[in-house]
Amino acid sequence: MTDAQAERHRMVDEQIAGRGVRDLHVLEAMRKVPREAFVRPDLAESAYDDNPLPIGYGQTISQPYIVARMIEAAKIRPGERVLEIGAGSGYAAAVMAEIADQVHTIERHAALGRTAREHLQKAGYSNVDLHIGDGSLGRPEAAPFDAILVAAGAPSVPLALKEQLAEGGRLIIPVGATELTQVLMRVTRTAPTDWREERLESVRFVPLIGAQGWS
Ligand code: SAM
């Protein structure tokens, strides 16, 4: 086992399984994705630390635990189609691509999006499509999705995203009345015109900027 693999396994055991994440798909996927390939080269030594890291433009690659927690909450299963809003470094998209059939991810910062696309290509993730643009509107041309993950805090649940869920689909999104703190919500489409909302836990994300986010 290489040093990076050993660190990755330790991260999963201590920070993720150790904090109660039980979904075997998530644990397995996070044991595979080389997180060091998604951070700045000068921060590679910190790739398996228990915190977010800067990726430029005031944005971050999320703490590994929160990535695991959100994917577990979304109950992503093999064969499913997933949409992520906020590609950032591309890391969470890679973790989901280890489980799902197809991942679409959207990033509003063009430079971050280009770097994330390079990371994903170099790491061999051919089942991820990265789009640059406003993800608060989703990706209607590729809908419906079995799961939608939003990696940025919104003032309310965007209607566009609810409408792009398949029946039985799950939307995981941080929602808060201020840009600073949010509650992680799970919105499940239970029928064509019915959605169930659950409040999961308090979180802290950078803001979702866009037509159905913050201005
Ligand atoms: N999932 C990422 C990863 O694995 O590195 C971390 C995402 S970071 C916490 C949040 C990202 O959301 C930032 O890169 C930010 O530019 C992006 N973002 C904010 N508003 C957005 C929007 N409306 N559409 C797409 N991306 C957005």
Side-chain angles (χ1 to χ4, degrees):
M1 205 185 263
T2 63
D3 285 356
Q5 275 173 322
E7 278 207 65
R8 195 147 65 234
H9 281 250
R10 183 188 51 75
M11 170 192 84
V12 172
D13 293 345
E14 293 177 6
Q15 301 172 27
I16 297 172
R19 286 205 185 103
V21 172
R22 292 284 170 264
D23 185 326
L24 294 179
H25 293 296
V26 176
L27 299 177
E28 180 78 359
M30 292 190 72
R31 285 197 177 101
K32 286 191 192 154
V33 181
R35 198 164 187 266
E36 67 278 12
F38 292 86
V39 301
R40 285 190 343 223
D42 60 311
L43 292 174
E45 298 252 306
S46 308
Y48 296 100
D49 288 0
D50 190 13
N51 45 254
L53 293 170
I55 56 173
Y57 303 92
Q59 307 302 321
T60 54
I61 173 173
S62 305
Q63 180 193 24
Y65 167 71
I66 195 71
V67 173
R69 184 71 192 99
M70 288 179 78
I71 300 175
E72 179 177 63
K75 303 178 189 169
I76 297 172
R77 293 292 171 262
E80 291 195 332
R81 303 179 70 253
V82 175
L83 174 67
E84 180 194 33
I85 315 304
S89 67
Y91 173 73
V95 175
M96 293 188 279
E98 288 283 352
I99 307 172
D101 216 35
Q102 182 71 35
V103 177
H104 290 265
T105 182
I106 310 179
E107 173 53 53
R108 71 178 280 273
H109 270 288
L112 286 180
R114 283 193 294 270
T115 306
R117 193 180 279 142
E118 265 172 41
H119 292 158
L120 287 158
Q121 278 167 358
K122 275 195 196 153
Y125 288 98
S126 55
N127 58 339
V128 181
D129 272 338
L130 190 146
H131 314 277
I132 292 169
D134 177 7
S136 74
L137 298 170
R139 191 152 176 82
E141 58 274 54
F145 299 100
D146 301 296
I148 302 178
L149 263 82
V150 184
S156 58
V157 181
L159 186 58
L161 300 184
K162 287 170 70 171
E163 285 177 340
Q164 289 171 35
L165 282 176
E167 215 174 308
R170 295 81 54 198
L171 164 64
I172 306 297
I173 180 167
V175 177
T178 74
E179 290 182 29
L180 297 176
T181 56
Q182 308 95 18
V183 172
L184 192 62
M185 309 271 306
R186 175 167 50 211
V187 181
T188 305
R189 189 169 200 170
T190 52
T193 55
D194 203 31
W195 290 264
R196 183 181 70 235
E197 293 196 352
E198 297 164 87
R199 295 163 70 89
L200 302 179
E201 61 208 54
S202 297
V203 287
R204 196 180 174 93
F205 274 87
V206 294
L208 179 77
I209 313 271
Q212 293 198 17
W214 296 96
S215 52

